[in-house]
Amino acid sequence: MSPNWTHLIRFIAVEDGLVHLGQVDTAKTTDIGLATVEKKEVKAKLVTGSIFDGVVTDKVLTVSQLLSPIEKSEVPLIRCLGLNYHDHAKEAGMPIPTHPVLFIKPRTALSGPFPQKISIPKFVQDETTDYEAELTLVISKDGRDIPEDKALDYVLGYTAGNDVSARTEQFRNSQWSFSKGLDLSAPIGPVLVAPSEIDPGNLGIKAILNGDVVQDSNTKQAIFSIAHTIAFLSQGTTLERGTVIMLGTPPGIGAMRTPKLWLKKQDDMRVWIEGIGTLVNEVYY
């Protein structure tokens, strides 16, 4: 059975203190992430079942705390694209890749929106940790060797993500999974938007650090389409239901700036994506 939600959140309810899935009315609350940070009252219709088959009910609950839209136990793996924006490749002085550049994060990297923090472990507290605003999707069902013209049928929904990266460790190694896979280094949220409600190929995307816009682009700058990406990643490889795919970042990352710009203790880090809202996290050392 297919889910009938369009804007899904996972949250702790004021009424019972329990974790629920809910459908939010974006006409009343246009940016769920900002509303919760600003302590505005946010209501949601209870969704019964899982994110994969959830049904919206008439019961209304009040949001006490937002969580990652998908539970960590439901995520088999986080797959990530590197160098997937034309303007980012230009910024990095690198040629446009002919194939998607893939690395992975373990599901232990998954995190959620405010008040969840970007928690930087002691061994990388050298002020070289970076932000990467990314459109992010969740896979709806298992698939292998998925044809490109069927690939979007495997998208459950879209959300905002931040590919937090420990650059000192990254530049020590040609493989990125360790430096980008630390615990809580993949916050996503605030809401999971159904594919019927959004055009992922033409969305404004920004990173905002302490009130300053540090990344500002559009997903139409992506080198590889979402359909191509899913088809490519599923070649001879099962993309399991619940897989999170982070689709690459635009220009403006701290490592490419002069002077460099790094995440510091108590920084206010935000990722805004048009039609999705704002993922807000405080940085904690």
Side-chain angles (χ1 to χ4, degrees):
M1 181 169 143
S2 298
N4 72 344
W5 52 262
T6 61
H7 295 81
L8 184 83
I9 61 170
R10 192 168 143 267
F11 67 102
I12 299 172
V14 170
E15 288 80 2
D16 59 12
L18 299 178
V19 176
H20 298 282
L21 297 175
Q23 163 83 12
V24 290
D25 184 349
T26 55
K28 294 181 179 178
T29 309
T30 56
D31 193 321
I32 306 303
L34 289 184
T36 55
V37 171
E38 294 165 1
K39 301 188 184 306
K40 295 179 180 177
E41 185 178 75
V42 176
K43 300 282 190 178
K45 288 187 175 181
L46 178 68
V47 172
T48 58
S50 73
I51 66 168
F52 305 106
D53 58 10
V55 175
V56 180
T57 70
D58 291 328
K59 183 175 181 178
V60 176
L61 295 171
T62 310
V63 175
S64 171
Q65 179 182 333
L66 276 182
L67 304 171
S68 165
I70 184 169
E71 162 62 39
K72 190 178 297 184
S73 64
E74 296 176 310
V75 177
L77 192 63
I78 304 169
R79 297 177 180 269
C80 309
L81 294 192
L83 209 67
N84 191 37
Y85 276 67
H86 287 278
D87 44 6
H88 179 43
K90 181 180 179 180
E91 167 190 60
M94 299 179 70
I96 302 299
T98 56
H99 294 79
V101 177
L102 173 69
F103 61 94
I104 63 171
K105 292 176 181 261
R107 68 182 181 187
T108 49
L110 190 73
S111 183
F114 178 88
Q116 180 66 70
K117 298 179 187 293
I118 295 171
S119 185
I120 299 177
K122 186 174 183 178
F123 82 104
V124 288
Q125 288 177 8
D126 59 355
E127 293 192 350
T128 63
T129 295
D130 212 343
Y131 53 85
E132 294 191 9
E134 310 210 359
L135 179 64
T136 300
L137 65 82
V138 177
I139 293 292
S140 62
K141 56 187 176 182
D142 290 3
R144 183 177 186 270
D145 295 322
I146 301 168
E148 193 165 330
D149 63 353
K150 302 290 185 184
L152 295 183
D153 295 342
Y154 288 78
V155 177
L156 180 67
Y158 298 95
T159 191
N162 191 343
D163 172 21
V164 179
S165 306
R167 298 297 189 200
T168 296
E169 289 300 319
Q170 182 182 2
F171 297 150
R172 283 175 177 162
N173 199 310
S174 62
Q175 304 298 317
W176 300 346
S177 296
F178 177 65
S179 60
K180 288 172 168 276
L182 304 176
D183 288 355
L184 308 179
S185 64
I188 65 172
V191 60
L192 191 66
V193 180
S196 60
E197 306 300 307
I198 203 167
D199 176 8
N202 186 17
L203 299 173
I205 178 170
K206 295 180 181 181
I208 305 158
L209 180 59
N210 297 324
D212 295 327
V213 175
V214 291
Q215 291 183 282
D216 189 357
S217 188
N218 190 290
T219 58
K220 64 186 178 185
Q221 283 283 334
I223 296 167
F224 301 106
S225 71
I226 291 168
H228 180 82
T229 297
I230 292 172
F232 179 88
L233 296 182
S234 70
Q235 294 176 109
T237 303
T238 301
L239 294 183
E240 296 179 283
R241 184 178 81 164
T243 295
V244 172
I245 301 179
M246 304 184 84
L247 294 160
T249 199
I253 60 172
M256 296 298 171
R257 288 176 167 267
T258 304
K260 309 296 186 189
L261 183 62
W262 307 117
L263 296 179
K264 297 179 175 62
K265 185 177 180 180
Q266 296 184 322
D267 276 353
D268 180 297
M269 182 69 236
R270 305 185 179 200
V271 174
W272 171 85
I273 300 182
E274 184 179 359
I276 293 172
T278 308
L279 169 67
V280 181
N281 298 102
E282 182 184 314
V283 178
Y284 175 72
Y285 274 48

